[in-house]
């Protein structure tokens, strides 16, 4: 089968994280990966130039596969910070040199093909409402990722409102993610009861502010959801993300095509 624009349902997605950079070829009809994902450790220090090199290696590796999309097709990329018009505007858990970096421009130039960068939680959120736990849900779906920080995505009737930074809400004089992220649980050696109490405070407040229809809980710790979700009491249904590992790859691949179509 030739790789032509009649095949716009396949795209490459790359998920830049604090410890690893992962990429995959995504079948956008199903939201699943075609073949294995590729992962390389995040370079240290994770400067823009060093990260761009690793992203290029992954994209080259994926592009060499027979199932790869066209060589000049757009690539979707996630980044764990506020991304406004392609530029990083925060760096809570990444190298500070990213602030003000045109991530879109940097990667577009390095890869020599269109790149669309978005916030990591936004990508996960998009994947969940299109293919996973939030599919077909009316109203506001809040996807909350519990990891090094707390990421959040707000999707209203299927439309993503980007860069909603609920992890940076100040609750009881503290930035929420410094108390209730998965890394805060490890740092403070919390029991599941203690951790659930912190999450309770966070989710009750967010529920009051946003009146969501559904909370979808993602991040690595969502694998242990049975240990803490039943201990949290809110009126909004809470479910775990369907795509435990690849939501960032899938969501960013999807967004790359949406952005490209909007630009046409
Ligand atoms: C950042 C968010 C990011 C989240 C998860 C937070 O510290 O501010 O932009 O989505 O961590 O990586």
């Amino acid at each position: 089968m030739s790789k032509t624009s009649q095949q716009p349902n396949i795209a490459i997605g790359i998920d830049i994280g604090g410890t690893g950079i992962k990429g995959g070829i995504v079948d956008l009809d199903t939201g699943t990966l075609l073949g294995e994902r590729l992962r390389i450790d995040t370079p240290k220090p994770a400067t823009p130039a060093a990260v761009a090199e690793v992203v290029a290696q992954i994209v080259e590796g994926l592009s060499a596969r027979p199932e790869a999309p066209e060589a000049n097709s757009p690539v979707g990329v996630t980044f764990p910070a506020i991304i406004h018009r392609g530029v990083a505007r925060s760096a809570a858990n990444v190298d500070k040199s990213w602030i003000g970096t045109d991530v879109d421009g940097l990667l577009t130039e390095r890869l020599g093909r269109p790149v669309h960068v978005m916030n990591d939680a936004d990508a996960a959120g998009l994947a969940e409402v299109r293919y996973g736990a939030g599919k077909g849900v009316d109203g506001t779906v809040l996807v909350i990722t519990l990891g090094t920080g707390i990421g959040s995505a707000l999707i209203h009737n299927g439309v993503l409102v980007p860069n909603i930074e609920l992890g940076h809400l100040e609750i009881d004089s503290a930035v929420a993610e410094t108390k209730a992220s998965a890394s805060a649980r490890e740092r403070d050696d919390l029991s599941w009861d203690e951790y659930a109490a912190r999450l309770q405070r966070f989710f009750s407040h967010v529920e009051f502010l946003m009146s969501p229809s559904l909370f979808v809980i993602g991040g690595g710790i969502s694998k242990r959801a049975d240990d803490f979700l039943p201990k949290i009491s809110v009126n909004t249904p809470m479910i775990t993300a369907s795509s435990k590992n690849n939501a960032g790859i899938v969501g960013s691949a999807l967004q790359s095509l949406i952005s490209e179509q909007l630009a046409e």
Side-chain angles (χ1 to χ4, degrees):
M1 200 165 32
S2 68
K3 291 175 210 155
T4 67
S5 52
Q6 279 122 39
Q7 249 190 349
N9 54 339
I10 292 173
I12 290 177
I14 307 285
D15 192 1
I16 300 177
T19 52
I21 301 180
K22 298 162 283 187
I25 300 171
V26 183
D27 176 342
L28 296 171
D29 289 335
T30 59
T32 55
L33 260 50
L34 294 172
E36 292 291 296
R37 65 180 193 170
L38 267 183
R39 181 191 182 284
I40 298 180
D41 282 350
T42 305
K44 288 192 176 76
T47 57
V51 167
E53 277 316 302
V54 173
V55 171
Q57 275 181 46
I58 294 178
V59 171
E60 278 159 25
L62 293 171
S63 300
R65 294 182 180 174
E67 66 271 28
E70 282 180 78
N72 60 353
S73 65
V75 173
V77 177
T78 76
F79 194 75
I82 297 170
I83 296 290
H84 187 240
R85 299 184 188 279
V87 177
R89 294 293 179 202
S90 68
N93 298 303
V94 290
D95 198 273
K96 301 294 175 237
S97 61
W98 283 96
I99 297 180
T101 297
D102 178 357
V103 191
D104 226 297
L106 172 78
L107 294 177
T108 299
E109 197 181 320
R110 178 63 188 82
L111 299 180
R113 59 200 282 181
V115 174
H116 297 280
V117 183
M118 69 193 302
N119 172 265
D120 56 352
D122 283 346
L126 207 56
E128 287 298 328
V129 293
R130 184 63 73 101
Y131 309 105
K135 191 174 172 184
V137 177
D138 288 337
T140 300
V141 176
L142 284 177
V143 179
I144 305 290
T145 63
L146 303 171
T148 311
I150 293 183
S152 56
L154 187 159
I155 299 102
H156 186 72
N157 292 342
V159 177
L160 172 73
V161 181
N163 293 312
I164 300 291
E165 289 278 337
L166 296 177
H168 289 265
L169 272 176
E170 280 193 38
I171 303 178
D172 305 329
S173 306
V175 174
E177 71 174 13
T178 66
K179 295 284 176 196
S181 61
S183 60
R185 184 186 77 89
E186 283 170 23
R187 181 198 64 213
D188 295 344
D189 200 15
L190 302 178
S191 67
W192 289 112
D193 277 346
E194 289 167 327
Y195 184 51
R198 291 191 184 183
L199 288 174
Q200 177 72 55
R201 184 77 185 92
F202 173 72
F203 281 106
S204 296
H205 191 55
V206 170
E207 177 179 59
F208 173 74
L209 293 178
M210 319 285 294
S211 300
S213 306
L214 178 69
F215 281 119
V216 178
I217 313 303
I221 203 171
S222 63
K223 289 184 205 121
R224 300 293 305 265
D226 288 350
D227 292 312
F228 62 92
L229 270 197
K231 301 179 197 289
I232 301 171
S233 165
V234 286
N235 294 318
T236 311
M238 296 183 108
I239 54 177
T240 53
S242 322
S243 176
K244 301 277 187 280
N245 271 324
N246 298 327
I249 297 174
V250 172
S252 62
L254 177 62
Q255 182 62 44
S256 73
L257 282 196
I258 295 174
S259 302
E260 208 68 7
Q261 281 157 8
L262 288 175
E264 272 167 14

